[in-house]
Amino acid sequence: MRMPTSFTVVPVEDGGKSSRGHDSDENNVLREEDEEGPGDGNPKESSPFINNTDNDKGTLYDGKNMALFEEEMDSNPMVSSLLSNLANYTNLTQGVREHEEADEEEGAKKKAVTSPQMGTFIGVYLPCLQNILGVILFLRMTWIVGTAGILETFIIVAMCCTCTMLTAISMSAIATNGVVPAGGSYYMISRSLGPEFGGAVGLCFYLGTTFAGAMYILGTIEILLTYIVPNAAIFKAEDKEHEAEALLNNMRVYGTCCLALMSIVVFVGVKYVNKLALVFLACVVLSILAIYAGVIKTIFEPPDFPICLLGNRSLQNHNFDKCLKTEEIDNVTVTTQLWGLFCDGPSLNASCNDYFRDNEVTQVQGIPGLLSGVISENMWSAYGPSGMLVEKINFPSRPATNTSQDVYMPYVVNDIATFFTLLVGIYFPSVTGIMAGSNRSGDLRDAQKSIPIGTILAIATTTFIYLSCVVLFGACIDGTVLRDKFGDSVKGNLVIGTLSWPSPWVIVIGSFFSCCGAGLQSLTGAPRLLQAIARDGIVPFLEVFGHGKANGEPTWALLLTAAICETGILIASLDAVAPILSMFFLMCYLFVNLACALQTLLRTPNWRPRFKFYHWALSFLGMSLCLALMFISSWYYALVAMMIAGCIYKYIEYRGAEKEWGDGIRGLSLNAARYALMRLEEAPPHTKNWRPQVMVLLNVDSEMSVKHPRLLSFTTQLKAGKGLTIVGNVLEGTYLTKETEAKRAETNIKSAMSAEKTKGFCHVVVSSNLRDGFSYLIQSAGLGGMKHNTVLMAWPGTWKQSNDPQSWRNFIETIRETTAAHQALLVAKNVDSFPTNQDRLGEGTIDVWWIVHDGGMLMLLPFLLRQHKVWRKCKMRIFTVAQMDDNSIQMKKDLQTFLYHLRLDAEVEVVEMHDSDISAFTYEKTLVMEQRSQMLKQMQLSRTEREREAQLIHDRNTASHAAMNDKADAAPERVHMTWTKEKFFTERNRHRVEPNANMGVRDLFNMKPEWESLNQSNVRRMHTAVKLNEVVVNKSQGAHLVLLNMPGPPRNRGGDENYMEFLEVLLEGLNRVLLVRGGGREVITIYS
């Protein structure tokens, strides 16, 4: 039930307080402000609602009554202005506008736009009627009835007409949901299903219309050469078996000439075609009336069209005048012309064909009439192979002993093999043409009322005509005549013409002009459809066809249309061309139904059609019927048509221009995404399904360009297009002041992602400080179950030279926050030296240094990297560290077994790290580090001087984040931890009891006094960093990539500056390093 909507217009008085001069001043002020206002730069579709033209500025409001809304009126129209523009809005006629209409001398007279005045009958009903009724009805309908029988033909017609009726209901809903500009069905589908589907189906509809032109031209030539002037044939067969080939060659020659002539007519002046449309329509209507008149006449006086039967075989009634073997002339028995066709000579003793000798010649009426009872004979099908003789059912005859000579005899035969599905494909083009009304929506007085009524009435009318013709043809015409495709048995007359009244020539001439007109209209409409697609810019290689003559005539599109049409004409057979265009039309209708069903089910807010008698179930039924008819007609043509549409779809998807038309596929994607997100549990996935869902923390420079694009390359190589990728960036400031920079940064990041083939989302946050911005990203990026579980960032390579003391603190705080959020952390050192996506690394290794158990991240990452072609040739090596009390041989065996169960191929090596004295180098490193830290704490300087003095600063260039277990905080003895959890707990407890057990005995004689005051915890940590670095550099300096456990930051924030120094020492001398810190959960399993 629709809610009634009422409008009340309330006049607002100015109160006489403002004068006109004051008004004009205010208008001038408004005009100046408007001129300075920045635009949003977004292109908009042509719409009556966008009405703030330069001429309107300054006249948006008068006086002070609306002063409260001054700011809004700078960008939004007043209601009065909006309604005025809506009233003046007209969707101009989509008919062809000739250049002559815009001549200079008459331009002034013709500039006034007249509102369209066409009603339902003239504007929709008659054009649809003219387009639907055509060549198949006149040339093939009787043959289909005779071959398939009345019952099966009734089923064929009912299926096809039901399909078009359901499509018309869907089309009516779409066409009344707003204005449909030029392009008709293409516009409807593209705006409902998006540019990819729109382009694919639009081009299919274009090909269908083009092949329809070829079919109409072939029909025109068939009528001309078979029924009007048979002597005009250039190729003539000397014997009967070559007649079909000669006919095809004649069709090719005459068809090409006809196509050239029609193309010239269309090129020179389409207005003549439009003016003749009424004449062509009159021909169709008169022909239909002549058929019905002839049927009624057969009740009282059947027409005299005798056919000659030899036995039960129908004979071609061309080369003999009497249906007799012999006749008496002056009491002398002489042979007839028919005798000469079957015997060696005219004498009675001549040797004759066996079948001719054994059977009698009989003459029966070809049109016995409506009340003759012939309907019972024509009820059933009579399919057969090519060359099968046309025989009268239930008629006496003696079978032939030798059939080898039948092909040379003047029998009526099947020219092609016949079966049910073939006839469906041949018949379907006779129900196309239902889009004629929607293509003329701009010429209608009330398009939203006329299109549904006119189209549905036209389909109902034509369905009645077709169904009644099936029954009437079967009830009036003998079966042998019905199965005679070219009317050979009735002296070469058009079979449907034999039934018409007052003369067969009414149908012959009417159908000839009807086919001519339909061909011309196809050659007129198809280029314009191609031009509409080309001008939309969604198919780049078609752009040339968007251009034309100065008056807009699509010259190049017409040439292409003629070339494609010529391929149809070279096929030369109407029966072979019809199924081809059936495929393209059926595909178009299928997507019209899909568009309606999709919009209805999605309940998009803009889906408010005036036509209310539609339902998604009807649309789905229509869609299913279209698909079924495609495969019934010709499964291989159906597959080819789908493949063509699929190729166009993928081409537009990858190469076409980005278009946002508010289409249903976007809505469907949104609904599907929402459904999937609701189903996706927010809990972490099972270990078997775990993969890194990466948040990449990028930094941009002052120009808002990406600093480390190789970070995106590495993400692409790690992800291979799978899973979630979010690329985040933080700008310092407020959103109101940084909005433009944020948009520019987002655009640049998206460009870099596209260049590096990184599939994911971009998220730029503006925050008062970087620390909070990174925190917001880590906490809030993602949606529902689609959240990141891994953070990837670059190592701050210039942290010592940084002028900002806060930058490296941000880096460490980011590590702490990823740990708190239970997210994994990847930190890439020297990321600019990482390979690009175009590089192919040769033989080499990816080295994994497995120091502490991190849930298996270290094992999983090389496996994922090696799936990408950049790293495919690299081998994986796993190093683990053993100490004095570890059995290194057993460790290696255990690790190999573990990797075998994990299905990972890797070399295993256990590195033994013996207890050793802490070297002087370690003490010196620790001393320098602590002195620098003390200097910062003791110097009471301004912040600026402190930043200049202390060089322990992190550079903002490499904003990257990471996370790791707190397990590495403890003593350096834990460096030997292996993959076994049990051993991990044992070792941890042992070291808690003996915190200094692994500390080397210092040489007291070599001790320097300043070393005594050093923090022993820092010394131990530095010792671990130095020793581990020596081992890693020794083993892995030549590796393509080194993966290493990342120690966690100290719990006490006072030691943050020392932490950066420890990591720097640990990574010294290594080129490509990926520090890995697990997220606190298992990510790899031995189970299936």
Side-chain angles (χ1 to χ4, degrees):
M1 180 177 176
R2 289 180 62 87
M3 293 290 292
T5 307
S6 59
F7 293 97
T8 305
V9 180
V10 181
V12 180
E13 296 293 337
D14 193 5
K17 293 182 181 179
S18 61
S19 65
R20 298 307 301 166
H22 184 66
D23 291 348
S24 63
D25 291 342
E26 285 196 357
N27 289 341
N28 289 336
V29 171
L30 181 64
R31 187 180 296 113
E32 289 168 8
E33 289 177 357
D34 279 357
E35 285 169 0
E36 293 172 1
D40 60 2
N42 294 331
K44 298 182 174 65
E45 284 198 34
S46 175
S47 165
F49 297 96
I50 300 165
N51 49 29
N52 284 356
T53 59
D54 291 338
N55 297 331
D56 293 335
K57 289 179 182 174
T59 58
L60 292 176
Y61 66 99
D62 263 345
K64 297 178 180 175
N65 294 317
M66 297 296 165
L68 182 61
F69 295 95
E70 286 180 15
E71 297 296 332
E72 282 79 2
M73 284 188 286
D74 286 350
S75 56
N76 299 327
M78 283 200 57
V79 174
S80 57
S81 170
L82 171 69
L83 294 176
S84 170
N85 278 21
L86 274 174
N88 294 329
Y89 177 69
T90 55
N91 183 17
L92 295 181
T93 305
Q94 286 121 28
V96 180
R97 298 291 188 186
E98 283 298 303
H99 189 50
E100 293 87 339
E101 293 182 5
D103 286 343
E104 294 291 335
E105 57 272 13
E106 298 182 16
K109 297 178 186 176
K110 297 197 177 182
K111 276 184 181 175
V113 178
T114 58
S115 60
Q117 290 300 316
M118 278 184 165
T120 304
F121 187 73
I122 298 292
V124 180
Y125 181 77
L126 289 181
C128 282
L129 210 64
Q130 179 189 353
N131 277 267
I132 295 171
L133 298 169
V135 60
I136 301 294
L137 172 65
F138 300 125
L139 293 182
R140 293 291 182 270
M141 194 67 182
T142 53
W143 174 71
I144 292 173
V145 172
T147 306
I150 294 173
L151 286 180
E152 290 187 26
T153 308
F154 207 86
I155 292 170
I156 292 172
V157 174
M159 274 199 310
C160 296
C161 291
T162 304
C163 175
T164 53
M165 180 62 84
L166 292 172
T167 304
I169 291 171
S170 299
M171 185 198 73
S172 299
I174 297 172
T176 58
N177 188 50
V179 180
V180 179
S185 59
Y186 159 69
Y187 184 91
M188 288 191 293
I189 294 169
S190 62
R191 269 53 176 182
S192 297
L193 292 178
E196 295 89 359
F197 277 113
V201 180
L203 285 175
C204 283
F205 192 51
Y206 162 74
L207 290 172
T209 309
T210 306
F211 275 105
M215 183 185 76
Y216 290 129
I217 291 172
L218 289 173
T220 304
I221 302 306
E222 186 176 309
I223 295 167
L224 182 72
L225 293 180
T226 311
Y227 307 113
I228 300 178
V229 279
N231 296 327
I234 298 171
F235 300 93
K236 295 183 180 178
E238 295 180 0
D239 44 21
K240 182 171 174 285
E241 66 265 28
H242 295 117
E243 282 180 0
E245 189 179 339
L247 175 64
L248 294 180
N249 286 330
N250 285 318
M251 300 278 275
R252 291 184 180 108
V253 173
Y254 278 96
T256 304
C257 297
C258 184
L259 172 64
L261 188 65
M262 286 185 175
S263 300
I264 291 169
V265 170
V266 171
F267 179 76
V268 170
V270 185
K271 65 180 179 182
Y272 304 115
V273 178
N274 291 339
K275 287 176 180 175
L276 288 171
L278 199 60
V279 176
F280 299 140
L281 177 61
C283 291
V284 174
V285 174
L286 286 174
S287 300
I288 301 288
L289 293 176
I291 293 168
Y292 282 110
V295 169
I296 295 168
K297 184 175 178 292
T298 62
I299 300 173
F300 315 108
E301 185 187 346
D304 182 31
F305 281 100
I307 58 171
C308 192
L309 298 176
L310 176 60
N312 64 351
R313 297 179 180 181
S314 178
L315 298 176
Q316 292 184 349
N317 199 349
H318 290 301
N319 300 321
F320 58 90
D321 51 355
K322 293 177 182 177
C323 188
L324 297 168
K325 290 184 180 181
T326 60
E327 58 180 338
E328 294 281 336
I329 299 178
D330 298 333
N331 295 325
V332 178
T333 302
V334 295
T335 58
T336 61
Q337 291 176 324
L338 181 60
W339 182 281
L341 295 174
F342 285 90
C343 300
D344 290 346
S347 69
L348 291 170
N349 298 327
S351 94
C352 296
N353 179 271
D354 292 345
Y355 189 82
F356 180 77
R357 187 184 63 246
D358 296 342
N359 289 277
E360 294 302 317
V361 176
T362 315
Q363 184 168 296
V364 297
Q365 278 298 326
I367 315 290
L370 192 63
L371 303 178
S372 64
V374 75
I375 188 169
S376 59
E377 292 180 18
N378 296 329
M379 196 63 73
W380 312 107
S381 61
Y383 303 119
S386 176
M388 186 185 83
L389 302 176
V390 175
E391 299 173 341
K392 186 169 176 60
I393 300 167
N394 300 326
F395 204 75
S397 71
R398 291 183 181 178
T401 54
N402 181 15
T403 59
S404 60
Q405 297 300 309
D406 288 350
V407 68
Y408 304 107
M409 299 299 139
Y411 296 125
V412 178
V413 296
N414 280 356
D415 64 329
I416 57 172
T418 54
F419 39 90
F420 179 80
T421 57
L422 173 81
L423 299 185
V424 174
I426 292 174
Y427 173 74
F428 188 81
S430 65
V431 296
T432 59
I434 62 174
M435 302 286 186
S438 64
N439 291 347
R440 291 170 169 77
S441 62
D443 300 331
L444 303 173
R445 191 183 303 117
D446 184 358
Q448 300 196 349
K449 177 184 174 185
S450 297
I451 288 176
I453 296 173
T455 306
I456 291 171
L457 277 180
I459 293 174
T461 306
T462 52
T463 302
F464 171 77
I465 291 171
Y466 284 134
L467 291 174
S468 61
C469 281
V470 170
V471 177
L472 295 176
F473 292 164
C476 294
I477 306 174
D478 189 87
T480 51
V481 180
L482 285 174
R483 292 192 295 279
D484 183 2
K485 187 187 286 185
F486 300 108
D488 292 322
S489 61
V490 284
K491 295 190 180 295
N493 278 296
L494 181 61
V495 174
I496 199 172
T498 60
L499 188 63
S500 65
W501 179 87
S503 164
W505 285 101
V506 175
I507 295 282
V508 172
I509 301 300
S511 60
F512 177 78
F513 283 112
S514 168
C515 291
C516 274
L520 280 170
Q521 286 184 333
S522 293
L523 287 178
T524 306
R528 275 157 190 76
L529 178 59
L530 183 63
Q531 190 179 41
I533 297 170
R535 285 182 173 173
D536 256 346
I538 59 172
V539 188
F541 71 81
L542 289 181
E543 285 179 3
V544 64
F545 299 108
H547 309 299
K549 292 195 291 187
N551 59 345
E553 288 298 299
T555 312
W556 293 107
L558 178 61
L559 287 175
L560 180 66
T561 303
I564 297 172
C565 203
E566 177 64 18
T567 62
I569 287 168
L570 292 177
I571 294 172
S573 169
L574 189 70
D575 305 317
V577 172
I580 296 175
L581 67 104
S582 295
M583 289 306 119
F584 293 124
F585 278 119
L586 278 166
M587 185 165 285
C588 178
Y589 296 165
L590 184 149
F591 281 103
V592 169
N593 284 303
L594 175 63
C596 180
L598 204 60
Q599 299 274 38
T600 308
L601 287 174
L602 290 177
R603 296 192 178 105
T604 48
N606 191 52
W607 181 245
R608 304 185 298 275
R610 290 275 178 198
F611 180 75
K612 296 298 177 188
F613 304 101
Y614 67 93
H615 193 270
W616 64 266
L618 291 176
S619 298
F620 266 119
L621 182 61
M623 189 173 70
S624 306
L625 198 51
C626 288
L627 193 63
L629 284 172
M630 285 177 71
F631 282 93
I632 286 171
S633 303
S634 173
W635 63 268
Y636 45 90
Y637 278 154
L639 291 177
V640 169
M642 286 178 168
M643 193 167 66
I644 291 171
C647 291
I648 298 167
Y649 179 94
K650 296 307 288 183
Y651 177 81
I652 295 172
E653 187 178 53
Y654 284 111
R655 295 293 307 277
E658 287 292 327
K659 298 284 181 183
E660 179 51 72
W661 287 331
D663 52 84
I665 293 297
R666 301 289 172 97
L668 183 64
S669 301
L670 188 63
N671 266 22
R674 183 189 65 83
Y675 176 77
L677 282 171
M678 297 293 283
R679 291 290 305 272
L680 195 63
E681 298 178 4
E682 291 207 22
H686 191 275
T687 303
K688 289 187 287 188
N689 297 327
W690 196 95
R691 65 163 60 247
Q693 318 286 7
V694 181
M695 154 78 78
V696 185
L697 294 178
L698 275 185
N699 226 341
V700 294
D701 56 21
S702 56
E703 298 296 321
M704 298 297 139
S705 299
V706 176
K707 278 189 178 179
H708 299 295
R710 295 286 176 87
L711 210 55
L712 295 175
S713 306
F714 183 71
T715 307
T716 304
Q717 294 155 22
L718 182 64
K719 302 286 292 176
K722 305 292 190 301
L724 175 71
T725 303
I726 302 173
V727 180
N729 173 249
V730 178
L731 297 179
E732 199 166 4
T734 63
Y735 186 68
L736 292 177
T737 58
K738 294 281 187 178
E739 180 192 3
T740 309
E741 288 92 331
K743 286 183 177 176
R744 193 160 83 244
E746 188 171 352
T747 304
N748 291 343
I749 290 172
K750 284 181 178 177
S751 300
M753 289 172 69
S754 177
E756 299 296 340
K757 298 180 181 176
T758 305
K759 296 178 180 178
F761 308 99
C762 177
H763 200 168
V764 177
V765 171
V766 181
S767 174
S768 56
N769 60 72
L770 297 178
R771 161 92 174 73
D772 290 344
F774 291 137
S775 180
Y776 299 154
L777 277 176
I778 290 170
Q779 291 177 62
S780 62
L783 188 64
M786 281 295 283
K787 292 182 73 72
H788 62 281
N789 56 28
T790 306
V791 175
L792 172 62
M793 60 196 295
W795 169 257
T798 57
W799 65 275
K800 287 187 178 182
Q801 291 78 39
S802 173
N803 294 324
D804 184 2
Q806 193 60 34
S807 61
W808 57 267
R809 288 197 176 93
N810 289 340
F811 174 75
I812 297 175
E813 287 302 316
T814 303
I815 299 174
R816 289 193 173 103
E817 289 194 349
T818 54
T819 304
H822 301 290
Q823 294 172 6
L825 174 66
L826 309 177
V827 178
K829 187 197 176 197
N830 298 331
V831 69
D832 291 328
S833 68
F834 275 49
T836 65
N837 292 326
Q838 287 71 41
D839 292 339
R840 299 291 179 270
L841 297 178
E843 297 291 335
T845 60
I846 300 175
D847 287 359
V848 176
W849 284 85
W850 194 16
I851 311 299
V852 293
H853 182 64
D854 59 353
M857 277 284 287
L858 282 168
M859 248 77 77
L860 186 62
L861 293 174
F863 170 77
L864 294 175
L865 279 175
R866 289 176 63 207
Q867 306 303 305
H868 196 276
K869 50 195 171 186
V870 172
W871 303 89
R872 191 162 291 155
K873 292 183 180 179
C874 296
K875 292 181 179 178
M876 180 175 164
R877 293 195 302 179
I878 295 184
F879 296 89
T880 190
V881 178
Q883 291 190 268
M884 289 296 292
D885 54 348
D886 290 323
N887 184 342
S888 57
I889 297 173
Q890 188 61 40
M891 280 178 65
K892 184 171 183 179
K893 288 181 180 177
D894 292 345
L895 186 51
Q896 287 172 334
T897 305
F898 184 53
L899 291 175
Y900 176 79
H901 287 308
L902 288 175
R903 290 91 64 205
L904 294 175
D905 295 324
E907 296 178 16
V908 175
E909 189 169 340
V910 177
V911 178
E912 296 183 352
M913 283 185 66
H914 299 292
D915 290 345
S916 61
D917 292 345
I918 298 176
S919 65
F921 175 75
T922 301
Y923 279 114
E924 286 296 339
K925 275 273 186 186
T926 311
L927 181 64
V928 171
M929 178 182 75
E930 290 200 357
Q931 285 176 344
R932 188 176 295 171
S933 179
Q934 287 297 323
M935 182 172 61
L936 285 178
K937 292 175 181 174
Q938 292 172 3
M939 290 176 64
Q940 300 298 321
L941 301 176
S942 67
R943 182 180 174 187
T944 309
E945 291 170 324
R946 188 181 302 168
E947 289 170 359
R948 188 171 61 248
E949 293 286 340
Q951 296 179 0
L952 289 165
I953 307 303
H954 177 133
D955 185 32
R956 186 181 298 175
N957 288 352
T958 53
S960 317
H961 293 0
M964 182 184 166
N965 297 328
D966 295 335
K967 301 166 189 172
D969 294 349
E973 296 79 17
R974 292 170 52 196
V975 78
H976 71 283
M977 289 310 300
T978 63
W979 52 272
T980 55
K981 280 190 174 181
E982 296 81 3
K983 188 163 187 180
F984 166 72
F985 289 118
T986 307
E987 292 294 313
R988 185 173 65 179
N989 294 334
R990 181 170 69 84
H991 286 302
R992 282 177 178 170
V993 175
E994 308 175 57
N996 297 320
N998 213 27
M999 182 179 174
V1001 180
R1002 293 174 292 170
D1003 185 348
L1004 297 179
F1005 296 103
N1006 294 331
M1007 285 289 288
K1008 294 184 180 178
E1010 56 267 31
W1011 292 357
E1012 292 290 349
S1013 60
L1014 292 177
N1015 184 314
Q1016 294 307 309
S1017 174
N1018 285 344
V1019 172
R1020 291 198 309 273
R1021 290 170 187 268
M1022 184 63 78
H1023 175 65
T1024 303
V1026 170
K1027 295 299 290 180
L1028 191 55
N1029 174 259
E1030 287 176 6
V1031 174
V1032 174
V1033 169
N1034 181 40
K1035 295 283 186 181
S1036 301
Q1037 195 163 24
H1040 286 316
L1041 180 66
V1042 177
L1043 281 81
L1044 189 66
N1045 283 119
M1046 182 179 191
R1051 292 189 180 89
N1052 179 11
R1053 283 177 169 75
D1056 284 358
E1057 59 270 24
N1058 297 339
Y1059 173 70
M1060 295 297 291
E1061 191 71 47
F1062 293 143
L1063 290 181
E1064 193 71 66
V1065 171
L1066 181 63
L1067 305 179
E1068 194 172 355
L1070 296 171
N1071 183 19
R1072 296 180 190 138
V1073 183
L1074 189 67
L1075 287 171
V1076 180
R1077 187 164 165 77
R1081 60 158 296 164
E1082 295 293 328
V1083 301
I1084 195 166
T1085 176
I1086 64 173
Y1087 300 106
S1088 62

